[in-house]
Amino acid sequence: MRANCWIAPNRVAVKDVPDPQILNPRDAVVRVTSSAICGSDLHLLDGYVPAMKKGDVLGHEFMGEVVELGPGVRDGLRVGDRVVVAFPISCGDCFSCRRGLYSVCENSNPNAPVAEMAMGHSPAGIFGYSHLLGGYAGGQAEYVRVPFADVGALKVDDDLPDEKLLFLSDVLPTGYQAAEWCDITPGDTVAVWGAGPVGQFAALSAFLLGAERVVVIDRFPSRLRMAEEHTGAETINYEETDVLDALRDMTAGRGPDACIEAVGMEGHHASAALHAYDRAKQAVKLETDRPPALREAVLSCRNGGTVSVVGAYGGFVDKFPMGSFMNRSLTMRSGQAHVQRHMRPLLERIRRGEIDPSFVITHTMRLDDTPHGYDIFKNKQEDCVKVVLKP
């Protein structure tokens, strides 16, 4: 089969690779009908996530048709079913899964000892996201092996197009969970750093959950326009406006009630000098992640407010404002999305017409064109926000 493979930092290629096979009783093999490039895939492309190997198949946002099932698959899945697959691989039976904490499943990362060395404890395995998180082949491919398919593969309606369903695999639940963590009450103002797909869905979800005002912060005009037109958010271009001052002005000096960080480890700072500082520290491994958006979210949030972090981080950050965080009674909630918890409720919202996630799609291309998709997405060319791939 054909699949998009990581070759080296800043290089991917579509190659012929072995077809997936059933290895465990609860496995399924899914023929991919749509997949996508995620912002967190860029951290792999750029070499910031460790334990990548040449030939690893990328991609953790995908859906398709079940073509083979292991004998132990439960929950009524059948060959021929159309499914969306959650990006965290979760057993459904462990301590974490029973509590709905699917992205920290205790049984799905076969390389847990490696992750424990880096993080203290291991999170769940993730499709196409390095050997630190299991070494699983990803979904930018014609076929994928799906472990614990009865937990991670959601059967979906045949009458809804892939474009409305695909993002149930990751970015829609991630944005929704980011907003849910804010404990929004009527009248709240929520600020969102990052106007990529997760930030767009976080803004939309904040309104769905009762926020009065949502402010989206980014530097790309096309993304800010998308947020204004499709979510109803107000926007700030941080290269033109001081964000802390602007948010104080918008909230009578108090600051937002909650701040959502949807940027992650390759954040950009409006100040060229401060951006260079973080890049230099990252280059010599004095920090692994660049956190300007995280710092700004903490400093901006009102006293006693909540900082919700869904931007992907891999290691250590420098100059975190711990004094501000502790002395102002802030709460931080963070994590990879517990996708399986949110898929069915969000599917119902899509069915009712409350959400149409397809608005983030700016490019659709063939699987063989995936390297070009990565190029324009990474370099923010052609107003690229989301690339959908068709095998």
Side-chain angles (χ1 to χ4, degrees):
M1 71 170 187
R2 302 284 282 170
N4 182 56
C5 302
W6 188 90
I7 304 300
N10 294 303
R11 185 181 169 204
V12 296
V14 178
K15 301 283 190 180
D16 290 319
V17 302
D19 291 345
Q21 299 180 345
I22 298 291
L23 299 180
N24 297 301
R26 292 171 66 191
D27 286 354
V29 174
V30 171
R31 179 182 65 83
V32 177
T33 56
S34 296
S35 61
I37 302 173
C38 181
S40 57
D41 288 329
L42 298 183
H43 307 323
L44 303 172
L45 177 71
D46 293 344
Y48 291 122
V49 175
M52 292 296 294
K53 296 181 180 180
K54 182 178 180 179
D56 284 348
V57 178
L58 297 175
H60 56 268
E61 295 181 309
F62 62 94
M63 64 178 294
E65 177 188 349
V66 176
V67 296
E68 190 175 355
L69 284 173
V73 173
R74 309 171 299 202
D75 201 27
L77 279 182
R78 298 287 184 268
V79 171
D81 284 347
R82 186 175 178 226
V83 294
V84 180
V85 179
F87 81 84
I89 301 168
S90 312
C91 72
D93 297 321
C94 69
F95 176 91
S96 295
C97 287
R98 290 196 305 271
R99 287 158 177 79
L101 304 175
Y102 295 101
S103 71
V104 288
C105 173
E106 297 174 329
N107 292 326
S108 65
N109 186 359
N111 298 330
V114 180
E116 289 167 2
M117 291 175 62
M119 303 181 191
H121 296 274
S122 175
I126 294 178
F127 290 101
Y129 216 80
S130 89
H131 293 265
L132 184 72
L133 298 178
Y136 291 98
Q140 292 166 8
E142 294 180 310
Y143 295 88
V144 187
R145 178 177 77 93
V146 178
F148 304 115
D150 41 25
V151 177
L154 174 68
K155 186 176 178 179
V156 293
D157 292 336
D158 289 335
D159 60 342
L160 292 172
D162 281 15
E163 287 74 14
K164 288 193 176 185
L165 300 170
L166 173 60
F167 303 132
L168 288 167
S169 61
D170 176 4
V171 287
L172 178 56
T174 297
Y176 184 85
Q177 181 170 286
E180 186 180 63
W181 277 341
C182 294
D183 294 328
I184 295 168
T185 58
D188 278 358
T189 296
V190 178
V192 180
W193 275 256
V198 170
Q200 301 283 345
F201 292 142
L204 185 65
S205 299
F207 278 124
L208 287 174
L209 294 173
E212 180 175 319
R213 300 177 74 186
V214 177
V215 184
V216 173
I217 299 131
D218 205 295
R219 65 186 174 118
F220 294 101
S222 61
R223 294 186 174 212
L224 294 171
R225 285 195 302 271
M226 179 180 284
E228 292 170 351
E229 293 171 4
H230 292 279
T231 76
E234 302 165 71
T235 59
I236 297 173
N237 185 325
Y238 67 81
E239 289 192 324
E240 300 174 354
T241 304
D242 183 280
V243 174
L244 270 71
D245 285 347
L247 289 173
R248 288 191 192 101
D249 290 345
M250 298 169 82
T251 58
R254 180 171 290 151
D257 300 283
C259 294
I260 295 174
E261 201 276 54
V263 176
M265 69 172 69
E266 293 185 73
H268 176 272
H269 200 288
S271 164
L274 291 175
H275 186 62
Y277 165 86
D278 270 322
R279 287 191 67 90
K281 297 275 281 190
Q282 190 178 47
V284 298
K285 307 302 183 185
L286 292 176
E287 66 175 343
T288 59
D289 305 358
R290 303 194 301 267
L294 178 61
R295 296 184 190 120
E296 202 165 68
V298 170
L299 295 173
S300 298
C301 195
R302 70 158 168 83
N303 290 346
T306 298
V307 179
S308 174
V309 183
V310 290
Y313 286 87
F316 300 92
V317 300
D318 188 30
K319 300 294 187 292
F320 178 79
M322 190 63 202
S324 173
F325 182 78
M326 179 268 170
N327 284 290
R328 298 195 301 109
S329 298
L330 298 180
T331 296
M332 181 180 290
R333 302 183 73 174
S334 64
Q336 298 282 5
H338 307 303
V339 173
Q340 291 88 336
R341 180 197 296 177
H342 301 296
M343 290 175 88
R344 285 181 175 83
L346 287 171
L347 175 59
E348 291 305 312
R349 286 185 180 268
I350 293 171
R351 285 172 174 163
R352 294 194 298 265
E354 297 175 17
I355 304 173
D356 180 357
S358 64
F359 76 84
V360 301
I361 300 171
T362 53
H363 294 72
T364 300
M365 57 187 64
R366 300 177 307 149
L367 177 64
D368 282 345
D369 295 326
T370 304
H372 175 63
Y374 269 83
D375 185 52
I376 61 172
F377 186 40
K378 174 181 176 176
N379 294 303
K380 306 301 185 288
Q381 298 171 348
E382 303 176 17
D383 291 338
C384 183
V385 175
K386 193 66 173 178
V387 178
V388 171
L389 306 168
K390 298 288 187 177

